[in-house]
Amino acid sequence: MYLLAVDMGNTNIVVGVLNETEVVQSIRLSTDRRKTNFEFLIQLRQLLEVFHIDVKDISDGILSSVVPELTLQVSWAMEQLLGKKILTLGNPEVKTGLVIDIENPSTLGKDRIADAVGALHEYPVPLMIVDMGTATTISVISKEKKHIGGMIIPGVRTSLNSLSEHASQLPFIPIEAPNHLIGRNTVDCMKSGVLYGNASMIDGLIDRIAEQIGEEPTVVATGGLSQLITPYCKHRVIYEENLLLKGLYYIYKENCKK
Protein backbone atom coordinates (compact mmCIF):
# COMPACT_ATOMS: atom_id res chain seq x y z
CA MET A 1 0.00 0.00 0.00
CA TYR A 2 1.13 3.53 -0.79
CA LEU A 3 1.20 6.81 1.10
CA LEU A 4 0.02 10.02 -0.60
CA ALA A 5 2.23 12.88 0.59
CA VAL A 6 1.63 16.50 -0.41
CA ASP A 7 3.93 19.44 0.31
CA MET A 8 2.33 22.80 -0.41
CA GLY A 9 4.80 25.66 -0.69
CA ASN A 10 4.41 29.28 -1.70
CA THR A 11 5.59 28.64 -5.27
CA ASN A 12 5.11 24.91 -5.85
CA ILE A 13 3.05 21.98 -4.65
CA VAL A 14 4.85 18.64 -4.62
CA VAL A 15 2.62 15.58 -4.83
CA GLY A 16 4.33 12.29 -4.07
CA VAL A 17 3.30 8.66 -3.83
CA LEU A 18 5.58 6.70 -1.51
CA ASN A 19 6.21 3.05 -0.78
CA GLU A 20 7.82 3.55 2.63
CA THR A 21 10.79 5.89 1.90
CA GLU A 22 10.84 5.08 -1.81
CA VAL A 23 9.22 7.82 -3.83
CA VAL A 24 7.36 5.84 -6.48
CA GLN A 25 6.02 8.90 -8.30
CA SER A 26 6.21 12.64 -7.73
CA ILE A 27 5.36 15.81 -9.59
CA ARG A 28 5.88 19.51 -8.95
CA LEU A 29 2.93 21.83 -9.67
CA SER A 30 2.56 25.60 -9.45
CA THR A 31 0.74 26.80 -6.34
CA ASP A 32 -2.48 28.40 -7.52
CA ARG A 33 -4.31 30.28 -4.76
CA ARG A 34 -7.38 30.66 -6.99
CA LYS A 35 -8.15 26.93 -7.09
CA THR A 36 -11.17 25.60 -5.20
CA ASN A 37 -11.24 22.40 -3.15
CA PHE A 38 -13.13 20.66 -5.99
CA GLU A 39 -10.43 21.68 -8.48
CA PHE A 40 -7.74 20.27 -6.21
CA LEU A 41 -9.72 17.03 -5.93
CA ILE A 42 -10.02 16.73 -9.72
CA GLN A 43 -6.31 17.47 -10.12
CA LEU A 44 -5.33 14.78 -7.59
CA ARG A 45 -7.54 12.22 -9.35
CA GLN A 46 -5.99 13.10 -12.70
CA LEU A 47 -2.47 12.81 -11.28
CA LEU A 48 -3.12 9.32 -9.95
CA GLU A 49 -4.40 8.34 -13.40
CA VAL A 50 -1.22 9.71 -14.97
CA PHE A 51 0.82 7.80 -12.35
CA HIS A 52 -1.20 4.61 -13.17
CA ILE A 53 -1.96 4.22 -9.47
CA ASP A 54 -5.35 3.03 -8.24
CA VAL A 55 -6.66 5.11 -5.34
CA LYS A 56 -7.56 1.83 -3.62
CA ASP A 57 -3.83 1.11 -3.34
CA ILE A 58 -3.25 4.24 -1.23
CA SER A 59 -3.66 3.56 2.48
CA ASP A 60 -3.23 7.06 3.91
CA GLY A 61 -2.35 10.67 3.24
CA ILE A 62 -0.26 13.38 4.88
CA LEU A 63 -0.07 17.10 4.13
CA SER A 64 2.53 19.76 4.86
CA SER A 65 1.51 23.33 4.02
CA VAL A 66 3.00 26.79 4.46
CA VAL A 67 0.04 28.37 2.64
CA PRO A 68 -2.67 28.62 5.34
CA GLU A 69 -5.34 29.91 2.96
CA LEU A 70 -5.11 26.68 0.91
CA THR A 71 -4.53 24.11 3.66
CA LEU A 72 -8.22 23.35 4.23
CA GLN A 73 -8.95 23.08 0.50
CA VAL A 74 -6.15 20.61 -0.16
CA SER A 75 -6.75 18.53 2.99
CA TRP A 76 -10.46 18.31 2.07
CA ALA A 77 -9.55 17.19 -1.46
CA MET A 78 -7.17 14.53 -0.14
CA GLU A 79 -9.76 13.24 2.33
CA GLN A 80 -12.46 13.08 -0.34
CA LEU A 81 -10.07 11.24 -2.63
CA LEU A 82 -9.01 8.67 -0.03
CA GLY A 83 -12.29 8.45 1.85
CA LYS A 84 -10.62 8.96 5.22
CA LYS A 85 -9.06 11.59 7.46
CA ILE A 86 -5.46 12.49 6.65
CA LEU A 87 -2.61 13.79 8.81
CA THR A 88 -1.91 17.51 8.52
CA LEU A 89 1.27 18.93 10.03
CA GLY A 90 0.41 21.63 12.51
CA ASN A 91 -2.62 19.88 13.96
CA PRO A 92 -2.04 19.38 17.71
CA GLU A 93 -2.63 15.63 17.55
CA VAL A 94 0.10 15.07 14.92
CA LYS A 95 3.41 14.05 16.46
CA THR A 96 6.64 14.74 14.57
CA GLY A 97 9.21 13.23 16.93
CA LEU A 98 11.33 16.38 16.46
CA VAL A 99 12.63 18.29 19.47
CA ILE A 100 12.38 21.99 18.56
CA ASP A 101 14.66 24.07 20.79
CA ILE A 102 13.91 27.62 19.61
CA GLU A 103 12.15 30.58 21.22
CA ASN A 104 8.73 29.99 19.62
CA PRO A 105 8.52 26.37 18.42
CA SER A 106 5.03 26.87 16.97
CA THR A 107 6.42 29.36 14.42
CA LEU A 108 8.76 26.86 12.75
CA GLY A 109 7.59 26.22 9.18
CA LYS A 110 5.99 22.86 8.51
CA ASP A 111 8.33 22.35 5.55
CA ARG A 112 11.37 22.88 7.79
CA ILE A 113 9.98 20.38 10.30
CA ALA A 114 9.53 17.73 7.60
CA ASP A 115 13.00 18.45 6.18
CA ALA A 116 14.53 18.06 9.63
CA VAL A 117 12.73 14.79 10.36
CA GLY A 118 13.80 13.36 7.01
CA ALA A 119 17.43 14.42 7.50
CA LEU A 120 17.56 13.05 11.06
CA HIS A 121 16.50 9.62 9.84
CA GLU A 122 18.85 9.57 6.86
CA TYR A 123 22.07 11.40 7.85
CA PRO A 124 24.45 11.76 10.83
CA VAL A 125 24.22 14.73 13.19
CA PRO A 126 25.02 17.56 13.57
CA LEU A 127 23.16 18.68 10.47
CA MET A 128 22.80 21.79 8.37
CA ILE A 129 19.77 21.60 6.08
CA VAL A 130 19.56 23.98 3.10
CA ASP A 131 16.15 24.26 1.42
CA MET A 132 16.18 26.51 -1.65
CA GLY A 133 12.70 27.52 -2.72
CA THR A 134 10.78 30.79 -2.60
CA ALA A 135 13.02 31.50 0.39
CA THR A 136 16.33 29.84 1.14
CA THR A 137 16.07 28.38 4.62
CA ILE A 138 18.85 27.01 6.79
CA SER A 139 18.04 24.63 9.65
CA VAL A 140 20.61 23.46 12.18
CA ILE A 141 20.23 20.18 14.06
CA SER A 142 22.57 19.68 17.01
CA LYS A 143 24.45 16.49 17.86
CA GLU A 144 21.75 15.99 20.53
CA LYS A 145 19.26 15.79 17.63
CA LYS A 146 17.52 19.07 18.49
CA HIS A 147 16.43 21.71 16.00
CA ILE A 148 18.27 24.71 17.45
CA GLY A 149 17.43 27.36 14.84
CA GLY A 150 18.67 28.62 11.51
CA MET A 151 18.22 31.37 8.95
CA ILE A 152 15.69 32.60 6.39
CA ILE A 153 17.15 34.27 3.29
CA PRO A 154 15.45 35.72 0.19
CA GLY A 155 15.23 32.91 -2.36
CA VAL A 156 17.40 32.65 -5.45
CA ARG A 157 14.62 33.24 -7.97
CA THR A 158 12.87 35.73 -5.68
CA SER A 159 16.02 37.85 -5.44
CA LEU A 160 16.80 37.60 -9.15
CA ASN A 161 13.28 38.61 -10.20
CA SER A 162 13.34 41.51 -7.79
CA LEU A 163 16.65 42.68 -9.24
CA SER A 164 15.29 42.61 -12.79
CA GLU A 165 12.06 44.34 -11.76
CA HIS A 166 13.85 47.21 -10.01
CA ALA A 167 16.82 47.71 -12.35
CA SER A 168 15.53 48.80 -15.76
CA GLN A 169 18.69 47.76 -17.63
CA LEU A 170 18.89 44.25 -16.15
CA PRO A 171 16.84 41.61 -18.02
CA PHE A 172 14.96 38.60 -16.68
CA ILE A 173 17.26 35.60 -17.18
CA PRO A 174 17.20 31.83 -16.64
CA ILE A 175 19.21 30.43 -13.75
CA GLU A 176 22.02 28.59 -15.53
CA ALA A 177 25.79 28.44 -15.68
CA PRO A 178 27.64 31.47 -17.05
CA ASN A 179 30.41 31.13 -19.61
CA HIS A 180 32.97 32.49 -17.13
CA LEU A 181 33.21 33.16 -13.40
CA ILE A 182 34.06 36.76 -14.21
CA GLY A 183 31.23 37.73 -16.51
CA ARG A 184 32.07 39.63 -19.68
CA ASN A 185 28.53 40.76 -20.48
CA THR A 186 25.47 41.73 -18.47
CA VAL A 187 23.70 38.37 -18.67
CA ASP A 188 26.81 36.38 -17.73
CA CYS A 189 27.50 38.79 -14.87
CA MET A 190 24.01 38.12 -13.54
CA LYS A 191 24.30 34.35 -14.01
CA SER A 192 27.66 34.30 -12.26
CA GLY A 193 26.36 36.42 -9.42
CA VAL A 194 23.38 34.15 -8.87
CA LEU A 195 25.23 30.81 -9.02
CA TYR A 196 28.61 31.62 -7.51
CA GLY A 197 27.18 34.22 -5.15
CA ASN A 198 24.67 31.82 -3.61
CA ALA A 199 27.17 28.95 -3.56
CA SER A 200 29.67 31.18 -1.75
CA MET A 201 26.97 32.21 0.73
CA ILE A 202 26.31 28.56 1.54
CA ASP A 203 30.03 27.86 1.90
CA GLY A 204 30.41 30.83 4.21
CA LEU A 205 27.44 29.80 6.36
CA ILE A 206 28.81 26.27 6.65
CA ASP A 207 32.05 27.71 8.03
CA ARG A 208 30.27 30.01 10.46
CA ILE A 209 27.84 27.34 11.68
CA ALA A 210 30.70 24.86 12.15
CA GLU A 211 32.51 27.47 14.22
CA GLN A 212 29.37 28.14 16.28
CA ILE A 213 28.55 24.48 17.06
CA GLY A 214 32.17 23.37 17.38
CA GLU A 215 32.27 20.79 14.59
CA GLU A 216 31.63 20.35 10.87
CA PRO A 217 27.97 19.53 10.16
CA THR A 218 26.62 17.13 7.57
CA VAL A 219 25.17 19.46 4.94
CA VAL A 220 22.03 18.32 3.13
CA ALA A 221 20.38 20.45 0.44
CA THR A 222 16.90 20.14 -1.00
CA GLY A 223 14.37 22.29 -2.84
CA GLY A 224 13.94 23.01 -6.53
CA LEU A 225 16.97 25.28 -6.95
CA SER A 226 19.52 23.44 -4.80
CA GLN A 227 20.62 21.12 -7.56
CA LEU A 228 21.59 24.18 -9.65
CA ILE A 229 23.51 25.98 -6.91
CA THR A 230 25.20 23.35 -4.73
CA PRO A 231 27.51 21.92 -7.44
CA TYR A 232 29.35 25.26 -7.24
CA CYS A 233 29.96 24.97 -3.48
CA LYS A 234 33.46 24.17 -2.27
CA HIS A 235 32.17 22.24 0.74
CA ARG A 236 30.60 18.82 0.35
CA VAL A 237 26.84 19.27 0.08
CA ILE A 238 24.53 16.25 -0.30
CA TYR A 239 21.61 16.94 -2.62
CA GLU A 240 18.45 15.10 -1.55
CA GLU A 241 15.58 15.83 -3.92
CA ASN A 242 12.92 14.04 -1.86
CA LEU A 243 14.04 14.97 1.65
CA LEU A 244 10.72 16.58 2.59
CA LEU A 245 8.61 13.73 1.22
CA LYS A 246 10.75 11.24 3.16
CA GLY A 247 10.26 13.37 6.26
CA LEU A 248 6.50 13.18 5.77
CA TYR A 249 6.76 9.40 5.59
CA TYR A 250 8.67 9.24 8.88
CA ILE A 251 6.14 11.57 10.53
CA TYR A 252 3.35 9.33 9.25
CA LYS A 253 5.08 6.30 10.76
CA GLU A 254 5.53 8.15 14.07
CA ASN A 255 1.78 8.67 14.23
CA CYS A 256 0.98 5.07 13.30
CA LYS A 257 2.85 3.55 16.25
CA LYS A 258 0.69 1.20 18.24
Side-chain angles (χ1 to χ4, degrees):
M1 298 294 284
Y2 298 126
L3 174 69
L4 178 65
V6 177
D7 165 45
M8 182 159 45
N10 287 297
T11 304
N12 294 302
I13 300 175
V14 179
V15 180
V17 177
L18 290 82
N19 180 9
E20 296 187 344
T21 58
E22 178 192 359
V23 179
V24 178
Q25 295 283 358
S26 70
I27 191 168
R28 186 179 296 269
L29 309 168
S30 294
T31 301
D32 187 348
R33 289 166 172 78
R34 299 166 298 178
K35 271 198 175 80
T36 67
N37 49 3
F38 289 100
E39 288 173 317
F40 279 119
L41 174 58
I42 292 168
Q43 190 170 40
L44 289 174
R45 288 190 186 280
Q46 290 174 338
L47 286 175
L48 291 184
E49 290 179 7
V50 171
F51 291 160
H52 302 293
I53 292 176
D54 192 324
V55 68
K56 295 177 183 177
D57 293 329
I58 298 178
S59 60
D60 280 297
I62 184 168
L63 169 66
S64 165
S65 171
V66 296
V67 188
E69 62 267 33
L70 289 181
T71 301
L72 288 177
Q73 287 95 314
V74 175
S75 62
W76 180 90
M78 293 175 69
E79 289 177 352
Q80 290 297 308
L81 179 71
L82 302 179
K84 65 188 303 183
K85 188 174 178 60
I86 66 162
L87 295 175
T88 301
L89 264 67
N91 286 350
E93 69 273 13
V94 177
K95 302 173 184 176
T96 66
L98 178 66
V99 179
I100 304 173
D101 187 15
I102 63 175
E103 291 181 1
N104 298 296
S106 63
T107 63
L108 186 64
K110 308 304 179 292
D111 51 348
R112 296 177 71 186
I113 291 172
D115 280 342
V117 172
L120 273 169
H121 280 83
E122 300 275 327
Y123 300 100
V125 291
L127 282 158
M128 172 178 163
I129 304 163
V130 182
D131 192 335
M132 305 187 86
T134 305
T136 294
T137 62
I138 309 291
S139 297
V140 181
I141 312 298
S142 70
K143 61 183 177 182
E144 292 80 23
K145 299 187 176 181
K146 296 179 180 180
H147 190 296
I148 59 173
M151 297 124 182
I152 301 175
I153 304 153
V156 178
R157 173 55 70 183
T158 305
S159 299
L160 183 58
N161 285 349
S162 179
L163 179 65
S164 298
E165 285 172 2
H166 290 87
S168 58
Q169 292 187 312
L170 297 182
F172 287 88
I173 64 166
I175 300 174
E176 59 187 20
N179 292 319
H180 305 282
L181 169 64
I182 301 174
R184 293 174 57 81
N185 58 65
T186 299
V187 171
D188 270 2
C189 284
M190 293 175 69
K191 289 179 179 179
S192 183
V194 169
L195 267 69
Y196 289 104
N198 279 277
S200 296
M201 176 191 71
I202 293 170
D203 281 328
L205 289 175
I206 293 171
D207 290 334
R208 288 172 182 264
I209 288 171
E211 183 178 356
Q212 181 75 28
I213 65 177
E215 59 183 300
E216 193 83 10
T218 304
V219 184
V220 183
T222 191
L225 295 170
S226 288
Q227 61 183 327
L228 300 176
I229 304 296
T230 55
Y232 295 89
C233 291
K234 291 186 176 181
H235 284 277
R236 179 173 183 261
V237 179
I238 303 165
Y239 174 66
E240 175 61 79
E241 179 182 7
N242 296 313
L243 183 66
L244 197 151
L245 292 179
K246 289 182 178 181
L248 290 178
Y249 166 76
Y250 288 118
I251 291 170
Y252 165 74
K253 291 297 290 183
E254 176 74 18
N255 286 271
C256 290
K257 289 179 179 177
K258 302 299 182 182

